Amino acid sequence: MELCHGTEPDQEIEDTMSALFNDADADVVFRSRDKIRFRIYSTYLKNTTGGFPPVGFTPHEDEIVDLDENASTLNLMFQFVYPQPQPPLRTLDFPTLSSLAEAVEKYQIYPAMQICYVFMTKALPSHALDILDYAIKHDYYPLMDKAAPHISLEDVSSAATRVSPRLLQIWIPYHNACNQALRDAFKINEPHKRPRSSFESCTEWETRRASILITLGGCIGVKNVESALASIACTSPDCCREAAVAWQAKARQGIAKPPKFSTFSRKSFQDD
Ligand SMILES: [Zn+2]
């Protein structure tokens, strides 16, 4: 728990008070990272959260407790602590939602944890990397499996310094397994059936097949299995399209089912 005992109120006269949480009778004062104070009734914290007050923490009278989060996050979070209608999350932008989701996990704000989880899930397929990081951090296995297939090597590479080392540790073996399935798909040489109502072989297939192989080859090591499978396709409404569909079905069958990220996560946990 990253709480620290703050300074006396008199020393921080530039602080401003939250418009929503300013009841003079409230017995605990929190201060956001951006210097907004929140007066909160400790009774509500005790009744609805698991992370307040932290073990062994007893604020002295008039002492301020500094929190790491900004006021916009705390303002939303404390609304879940009080017996009042919960704030709507539908209209939040992703960074705000994500900060709230992390804060309610950190302080164990029980009334908010599931609803934040639901809205984080609904944000997919956008922000998949951040959502995967959140899912790993809080052991949300089904959400890991929903988020991971939307992430490419480029996504991970460009955010390698931002995501958690644990995500990288799990994602790399997961990605290798995905690529093995792609390599298998590459080797399938599905025979092209003779076009209907024709005694001649299709003259287009070899060219189209080569084009598919080039696209598929470009996916190996870069994209996940599901999005790469889409490259085994032919848009022309003829016999070649049928051949591509059969190839894709066989590739999917060969994969049996795409590797699940959560399997790698559990394995990594056992190895620790
Ligand atoms: Zn054809």
Side-chain angles (χ1 to χ4, degrees):
M1 191 59 57
E2 293 175 23
L3 292 175
C4 56
H5 290 244
T7 49
E8 294 302 315
D10 292 348
Q11 294 173 283
E12 295 290 346
I13 50 172
E14 76 277 15
D15 290 2
T16 53
M17 189 59 76
S18 156
L20 276 182
F21 300 97
N22 56 11
D23 194 329
D25 291 337
D27 52 335
V28 186
V29 182
F30 293 104
R31 179 166 50 204
S32 65
R33 181 182 286 273
D34 48 353
K35 308 296 179 197
I36 308 292
R37 290 187 205 174
F38 296 76
R39 298 192 71 92
I40 305 291
Y41 287 97
S42 62
T43 309
Y44 295 139
L45 296 173
K46 283 178 192 154
N47 289 342
T48 58
T49 78
F52 283 117
V55 177
F57 176 76
T58 47
H60 304 297
E61 194 175 345
D62 283 341
E63 190 173 27
I64 297 176
V65 183
D66 284 313
L67 301 181
D68 281 341
E69 292 71 21
N70 278 333
S72 58
T73 302
L74 296 183
N75 194 47
L76 287 164
M77 187 182 83
F78 285 132
Q79 291 183 63
F80 284 96
V81 171
Y82 275 47
Q84 64 177 50
Q86 298 180 339
L89 304 187
R90 195 179 306 276
T91 53
L92 297 185
D93 57 35
F94 184 77
T96 307
L97 172 66
S98 178
S99 298
L100 176 65
E102 284 298 342
V104 304
E105 292 286 343
K106 177 178 173 183
Y107 300 115
Q108 294 178 274
I109 312 294
Y110 296 127
M113 287 160 74
Q114 273 303 304
I115 191 70
C116 284
Y117 172 83
V118 167
F119 276 90
M120 287 292 274
T121 305
K122 282 165 75 92
L124 286 171
S126 302
H127 312 290
L129 197 57
D130 292 300
I131 292 168
L132 181 62
D133 223 0
Y134 158 84
I136 292 170
K137 199 168 169 186
H138 307 296
D139 292 333
Y140 288 130
Y141 295 104
L143 184 54
M144 289 179 206
D145 293 333
K146 283 183 183 152
H150 298 291
I151 296 166
S152 70
L153 181 61
E154 296 107 303
D155 296 334
V156 173
S157 304
S158 63
T161 55
R162 181 165 58 83
V163 297
S164 64
R166 183 153 179 78
L167 184 148
L168 296 175
Q169 185 191 9
I170 305 166
W171 194 81
I172 289 164
Y174 161 78
H175 189 59
N176 280 341
C178 290
N179 283 320
Q180 185 54 51
L182 277 184
R183 287 188 204 97
D184 294 343
F186 202 76
K187 290 177 199 156
I188 295 169
N189 190 2
E190 183 68 15
H192 182 295
K193 294 193 180 82
R194 189 184 292 276
R196 291 193 191 97
S197 320
S198 170
F199 294 106
E200 294 178 359
S201 299
C202 172
T203 55
E204 302 291 328
W205 179 236
E206 279 312 309
T207 309
R208 288 171 173 169
R209 181 168 173 274
S211 165
I212 289 173
L213 285 173
I214 289 166
T215 312
L216 187 60
C219 295
I220 292 177
V222 180
K223 289 189 177 173
N224 62 69
V225 174
E226 278 300 311
S227 66
L229 274 177
S231 66
I232 310 175
C234 182
T235 52
S236 59
D238 57 17
C239 54
C240 293
R241 186 172 177 280
E242 280 181 32
V245 167
W247 181 0
Q248 193 190 72
K250 202 161 186 175
R252 193 183 294 278
Q253 197 182 37
I255 290 162
K257 49 184 179 180
K260 278 192 161 191
F261 189 91
S262 59
T263 313
F264 292 84
S265 173
R266 290 176 206 271
K267 189 170 179 305
S268 154
F269 183 71
Q270 286 160 5
D271 291 347
D272 283 348

